[in-house]
Amino acid sequence: MILIKTSKEIEIMRQAGKILSEVMKKIVPHVHRGVSTLELDKLAEKLIRENGAEPGFKNYESYGRFYPATLCTSINNQVVHALPKKNKILKNGDIIGLDCGVKYKGYYSDMALTVGVGEISFQAKRLIQITKESLEIAIKNIRPEIHLGDISWPIQSFVEKNRLSVVRQLCGHGIGKELHEEPNVFNYGDRGTGLILKPGMVLAIEPMVNEGDWRIETLDDEWTIVTKDGSLSAHFEHTILITKTGAEVLTKIN
Ligand code: MF3
Ligand code: CO
């Protein structure tokens, strides 16, 4: 069942999104050489709590395991869900995906972005730019009565036109009282297929794009997802509301 949010719920989700985007905006300037991913995590948790919200990922249960942190800090060939660590120190030329969620007054918001550490390669810049643009293109295209595939197809076609690949085994999702609600929002698929979007639906759209092959694998820590071929990967995500005329980005950075 896909939940259509009430105007009261939407107002709370707007506030949750605003808190999250402001927290992210404050974390990004702390991304530089010599910083540990755990320091970023601690900062994110502090900022979230200062805003009267809670970390949305902390203790999130999946297959009987509980996510232990506030952020996912996925570096280079790590696609998503990499755990922040004291001894994981950022170095010049790395790219890092920061994925964060908050829970505010019972509602979740979810967003991710990828940034470079110091000087990064042309290839890395291009990967980040194309991934970001694929999400922007998908969002621009949203109108009520389009199909889910009308979100998926623009992402896949733009990415592949640029000779990069979209991760297939992971997807975006509905979001609200739960971090992950129906429907699944795939980053590949055909136009005009799947569920029809209605005003009041809230979706987290999150393309994960690899420089090489789309295949991924999970590390022994059971969380960290990496590219199978070792190539670089980037990730962007926004929580968006379907409105009467298009989409409202609830996690927009101002
Ligand atoms: N944005 C990611 C997702 O929707 C973050 C989840 S991290 C987890 O899957 F720890 F909560 F799983
Ligand atoms: Co998500």
Side-chain angles (χ1 to χ4, degrees):
M1 190 192 42
I2 319 293
L3 295 175
I4 304 288
K5 271 69 181 180
T6 65
S7 53
K8 221 171 140 185
E9 292 179 298
I10 289 168
E11 198 37 55
I12 299 172
M13 293 195 78
R14 267 197 195 103
Q15 292 166 10
K18 188 160 189 282
I19 291 170
L20 178 55
S21 62
E22 282 175 1
V23 167
M24 275 294 213
K25 191 179 172 179
K26 286 184 184 153
I27 297 169
V28 168
H30 290 265
V31 171
H32 48 71
R33 184 168 55 100
V35 172
S36 76
T37 52
L38 189 66
E39 286 173 73
L40 297 175
D41 188 76
K42 292 294 159 223
L43 175 64
E45 180 167 1
K46 177 174 159 279
L47 293 170
I48 290 169
R49 293 197 190 282
E50 278 173 9
N51 279 283
E54 289 165 54
F57 298 167
K58 211 163 196 176
N59 299 317
Y60 175 85
E61 188 183 356
S62 161
Y63 302 104
R65 328 152 278 149
F66 296 86
Y67 193 75
T70 296
L71 287 180
C72 302
T73 50
S74 308
I75 297 172
N76 298 336
N77 64 316
Q78 298 174 338
V79 179
V80 285
H81 303 170
L83 303 170
K85 287 194 183 103
K86 193 177 167 184
N87 60 5
K88 188 77 185 178
I89 309 290
L90 300 183
K91 47 184 201 327
N92 193 44
D94 283 342
I95 64 170
I96 179 170
L98 299 171
D99 191 352
C100 190
V102 302
K103 189 179 188 183
Y104 182 67
K105 296 187 177 169
Y107 289 83
Y108 285 91
S109 197
D110 190 359
M111 81 179 286
L113 47 80
T114 301
V115 291
V117 181
E119 266 305 293
I120 62 171
S121 69
F122 172 80
Q123 288 305 321
K125 270 185 211 157
R126 182 173 176 275
L127 172 69
I128 290 172
Q129 182 55 32
I130 301 292
T131 309
K132 185 168 188 238
E133 247 178 274
S134 74
L135 176 57
E136 289 165 357
I137 290 168
I139 291 172
K140 244 183 237 148
N141 199 39
I142 293 175
R143 303 278 179 280
E145 306 303 323
I146 67 166
H147 293 256
L148 263 182
D150 299 316
I151 294 179
S152 312
W153 183 85
I155 294 174
Q156 181 183 19
S157 58
F158 180 71
V159 167
E160 292 182 352
K161 197 170 70 191
N162 284 286
R163 301 181 314 282
L164 302 169
S165 65
V166 289
V167 171
R168 309 281 177 98
Q169 299 100 317
L170 299 167
C171 60
H173 46 94
I175 181 167
K177 280 188 178 164
E178 304 292 336
L179 176 61
H180 295 136
E181 297 184 351
E182 285 178 49
N184 284 331
V185 182
F186 291 98
N187 297 306
Y188 66 97
D190 292 322
R191 280 182 284 193
T193 64
L195 178 89
I196 295 175
L197 304 183
K198 302 284 179 189
M201 289 180 179
V202 183
L203 304 175
I205 308 174
E206 47 180 320
M208 289 149 269
V209 176
N210 297 349
E211 213 184 346
D213 189 87
W214 55 266
R215 289 172 183 79
I216 54 174
E217 48 191 37
T218 308
L219 297 186
D220 288 341
D221 67 12
E222 292 184 18
W223 283 107
T224 311
I225 312 267
V226 296
T227 57
K228 204 163 184 172
D229 63 6
S231 68
L232 288 181
S233 188
H235 179 210
F236 281 83
E237 175 174 21
H238 273 307
T239 297
I240 63 106
L241 166 71
I242 314 293
T243 67
K244 285 190 184 126
T245 53
E248 179 181 333
V249 180
L250 302 182
T251 47
K252 190 165 175 228
I253 293 192
N254 289 304

